[in-house]
Structure formats: structure tokens, C-alpha cells
Amino acid sequence: MPQMLAFVILAGILFIGDFIAVRTKAWIPSIFVCAVLMLFGYWTFFPEEMVATAGIPPVVASLLIYLLITNMGTLLSVQQLKQQWKTILISLSGIVGIIVFLFTIGLLLFDIKTILVAIPPLVGGIVSALIMSEGATEAGLATLSVFAVVIYVMQGFAGYPLTSVVLKKEGKMLLSKYRNGELEMKEYSPGEEPITHAEPKMFRNMPEKYNTNYFKFFRLAFVAFLAYGTSTLLAPIVVISPYVLCLLFGILATSVGFLERQVLEKGNGFGFAMLALILYVLDGLKKATPEMMMEILYPLVGCIAIAVVGMYIFSFFIGKVLKVSKEMAFAVSLTALYGFPADYIITNEVINSLTEDEKEREALTSHMLPPMLVGGFVSVTVVSVILAGLFVGFL
């Protein structure tokens, strides 16, 4: 297939996803539609390397992940992270719910090795899925090796629509409060400017003509490189995902004034970066052939269903204790099923579907987006890798 034809088809799929999301006001998330279309494509006429053929090989996607996660860090401040301690507890409670329910109810239906392989990918993250897949292969468990990848690919099919539903309920409640004067944008720390207007303190005296798109990309890449380098230096002592450090370094670089908020957007690179990353994530569907799906359908559906119930129950109770609505608590725990960028995309789709007023959107964003981002990073980039490293030894 010619490169440009492949790219046109993939861009068309993303457009169809957006179109349906807009028409249904986010009741059907765009990323869910795109996943269905990609799966259909791989089952029919797509070549296996469709995304790479279109010009987005893994090495490019890897670069964009570093830049995008560092850019996501610019959306959060140290003060906001301190304010998100409830989110961290809720996210962890959802993960505990997955583990408890699968090691109790799950063991009544499936064998222990199926449960061990299922949990890390369910908590989120392609890295944990690959760790369990390779571990199963080395243990001579070919079916479970495929299962680890497919459950990672398919878990979003439960997470996307459920998250959209509960976020719409939460958003309507918040919007009603805002319109009644009972809700305002969350306060920033003293001296901190709103997300969309803050400029990097270190370069405020530099003429604007020198703060070019390339200079923005240079600073963003430099911060991502520092995160990668730190992860590499710490590797002999402790393994910390470079993606986690990218988020933290992005927050710190923004707090000290080295990066402006939403620097990738201001450098006019966010749109293409998101397009490429979404295609890379959906590229994982090429592994899910019809034969594989039929073979593992029962444990696939069973494990995902049990995990979602466990997440809901545990997040419901911790939400009650922390005085967080059951909708927001469940949405935060559901980020374990997909993480970034889906948490960002779905949240924004829901917000945009609820109101066209910019002030109302900003108010909803300030309340809904930070906990969704933090919840996704806690589960997908941190906990899932730790669990995978622990569980793989028991296969």
C-alpha cells in the first residue's frame, strides 16, 4: 500500500471518530469508534504494518510519547499535584479492587496463571502487557502470551464508553453548580497564572521574536531528555519509568519558568503529535486476529468485567470517605484501562459536548481534567509496571 494512501485512510478513520463523537455529543467516544474501525481494517485489507507504512514507525511514536507526556506535565503545577492526593488514593483503590476481585471471584472461573497475566495489562500500559507476554512465552504459555497483548488492546472497549457516561453525569452536575454560582475555577497557587496564559518566567525579558517554535521544541525536548537521562542513571539502583519522570520534569520545568504551559500547542506541534500517538496506540489491534479473539474470548470478557466491578466498588467506598462523587471516583479508577492519551481525549470531548461557553469549559476543565490525568499516570505508568515485574516471576 502506498504511504500516502495509508495515511489518508488512517486520517480518515480519526476524522470519522471525531465526527461521530461530535454528532453523539461524546456518548460514543471518538477513540472507541477509531478502535472498531482499525480492528475491522486489520481483519480485512490493512497490511500488518499499516501505521508504519503511513510514516509513523515505533521510533517516531516513541519520540512523540516523550514530548507529549512532558507537555502534559505543563498542565499541572506542584500545587495542583498536592491538591490531587485524593485522586491518587482513588486510583490506587481502583487497582486494589481489580486485584482483590480477580484473586477471589476470578480464581473461581479461571486458573491462577490467567489471573496473573491479566492483572498488569488491566491496570494499564503497553510495557506491562509486553512484560507479561514475554514472560508467558518463556514459560511456554503461548495462548497466555497472546492473551496479555489482546486484553491490553481490548480493555479500552469497556473503559471508553463507561468513562464517557460517568464523566457526562459529573460534568452536568458541575455545570449546574457553576451556572448557579456554586462552582468556580479551581484556584491557582499564589503568583501562578491560568493555564492558557502563563509565560515562562525565565524568558519573559527575551524578545518574543526569538521565542520561535523551534526554541519551544528545543526546551521541551531538553526537559524530556533530562527525564530520560535521569531514568537511565537511576536504573542500576532503582527502575523508574522515563515516562513518569517526563511528567514530573514537565511539572517542575513549568514551575521554575523554563517551559510555558501547553508548550507543544504553542509550538504548533500538538495536533500532529496526538494524531501520530493515537494511531500508534491503535496499531496494537493488529495483534488481535479473529482466531485469537475466539480462543480467548471467555477469559477476556470475564476478567475485564470482574475488574470493572472491583474498580467500581472500591472507588465508590473510597470516594464516600474522601467526599468525592461516585461518578468522578469511578472515572478516575477507569483511567487504569487506557491511560494517556485516551483520558485526555475523552475528558475534553465530554466537556466540549456539554457547553460552548469558553468560561464554562475552563471551569469544567479545571475540575475534571487534572484528576483524570493524575489517575491515568498513577495507574498506567507506575503501578502496572511494578505489578508486571512482580507477577511475571510466578508464571
Side-chain angles (χ1 to χ4, degrees):
M1 180 179 291
Q3 179 183 18
M4 289 310 301
L5 176 58
F7 186 81
V8 166
I9 292 173
L10 293 176
I13 286 175
L14 297 185
F15 166 70
I16 292 171
D18 275 347
F19 179 81
I20 293 177
V22 170
R23 293 290 295 178
T24 61
K25 296 187 176 181
W27 281 106
I28 304 178
S30 66
I31 200 164
F32 175 78
V33 176
C34 293
V36 171
L37 293 175
M38 289 289 286
L39 189 61
F40 174 78
Y42 281 120
W43 285 3
T44 52
F45 67 96
F46 281 7
E48 184 174 343
E49 300 303 320
M50 180 73 170
V51 174
T53 299
I56 309 169
V59 65
V60 173
S62 178
L63 167 65
L64 295 176
I65 290 172
Y66 280 104
L67 297 182
L68 280 162
I69 293 182
T70 306
N71 181 70
M72 295 306 293
T74 70
L75 291 172
L76 301 169
S77 68
V78 174
Q79 182 66 21
Q80 286 171 320
L81 274 183
K82 290 178 181 177
Q83 294 171 351
Q84 293 300 323
W85 64 272
K86 291 183 179 181
T87 297
I88 295 173
L89 290 179
I90 291 170
S91 180
L92 293 176
S93 74
I95 293 169
V96 172
I98 291 176
I99 295 172
V100 169
F101 269 60
L102 281 175
F103 272 119
T104 52
I105 298 174
L107 282 178
L108 299 176
L109 304 173
F110 314 112
D111 63 86
I112 182 67
K113 290 185 177 179
T114 297
I115 300 300
L116 288 171
V117 169
I119 290 176
L122 273 171
V123 175
I126 187 61
V127 175
S128 57
L130 291 175
I131 291 173
M132 300 311 297
S133 179
E134 292 173 0
T137 299
E138 293 175 2
L141 306 169
T143 301
L144 289 182
S145 176
V146 174
F147 179 64
V149 175
V150 174
I151 199 168
Y152 162 74
V153 169
M154 300 303 294
Q155 62 189 345
F157 283 74
Y160 302 152
L162 282 174
T163 303
S164 183
V165 168
V166 295
L167 279 183
K168 283 181 81 74
K169 290 183 178 180
E170 176 73 7
K172 287 179 179 178
M173 182 271 294
L174 291 174
L175 194 58
S176 176
K177 285 187 175 182
Y178 180 82
R179 289 171 176 172
N180 292 331
E182 302 171 8
L183 182 78
E184 297 179 354
M185 284 187 64
K186 287 195 173 180
E187 294 294 328
Y188 296 94
S189 59
E192 186 181 356
E193 299 181 28
I195 284 178
T196 54
H197 303 294
E199 295 296 333
K201 298 175 185 177
M202 289 187 181
F203 306 101
R204 277 181 174 167
N205 296 326
M206 185 180 74
E208 181 61 28
K209 63 183 179 181
Y210 295 120
N211 190 15
T212 65
N213 290 342
Y214 296 135
F215 187 50
K216 291 181 175 70
F217 270 96
F218 166 73
R219 286 182 284 121
L220 181 64
F222 182 71
V223 173
F225 169 71
L226 289 180
Y228 167 80
T230 302
S231 175
T232 303
L233 288 174
L234 292 175
I237 305 170
V238 59
V239 177
I240 302 178
S241 168
Y243 298 147
V244 176
L245 292 179
C246 279
L247 177 68
L248 296 177
F249 276 46
I251 294 169
L252 293 174
T254 307
S255 298
V256 301
F258 185 74
L259 292 178
E260 54 261 72
R261 298 190 182 278
Q262 297 177 305
V263 60
L264 199 55
E265 288 92 325
K266 294 181 179 179
N268 294 318
F270 183 76
F272 180 77
M274 283 297 294
L275 177 147
L277 183 58
I278 293 170
L279 291 178
Y280 176 68
V281 172
L282 294 176
D283 189 45
L285 291 171
K286 67 186 179 185
K287 301 291 184 181
T289 65
E291 294 77 19
M292 291 178 183
M293 292 298 297
M294 291 305 298
E295 184 177 356
I296 60 177
L297 183 61
Y298 172 58
L300 177 71
V301 174
C303 286
I304 292 176
I306 293 170
V308 168
V309 172
M311 292 166 67
Y312 176 75
I313 292 175
F314 273 66
S315 65
F316 175 82
F317 283 109
I318 195 68
K320 283 284 188 183
V321 172
L322 299 177
K323 300 187 184 322
V324 175
S325 71
K326 63 179 183 296
E327 289 84 7
M328 196 70 235
F330 191 30
V332 166
S333 65
L334 282 169
T335 59
L337 296 180
Y338 43 79
F340 175 81
D343 51 2
Y344 181 88
I345 295 168
I346 294 173
T347 305
N348 276 288
E349 282 182 351
V350 169
I351 291 170
N352 291 336
S353 74
L354 291 174
T355 177
E356 295 183 0
D357 182 272
E358 195 59 37
K359 290 293 183 182
E360 291 180 346
R361 286 180 175 178
E362 288 182 6
L364 291 179
T365 298
S366 70
H367 283 268
M368 295 169 65
L369 187 58
M372 290 296 287
L373 294 178
V374 173
F377 280 112
V378 167
S379 59
V380 173
T381 59
V382 183
V383 181
S384 67
V385 176
I386 296 174
L387 289 176
L390 177 64
F391 288 1
V392 74
F394 294 99
L395 293 179

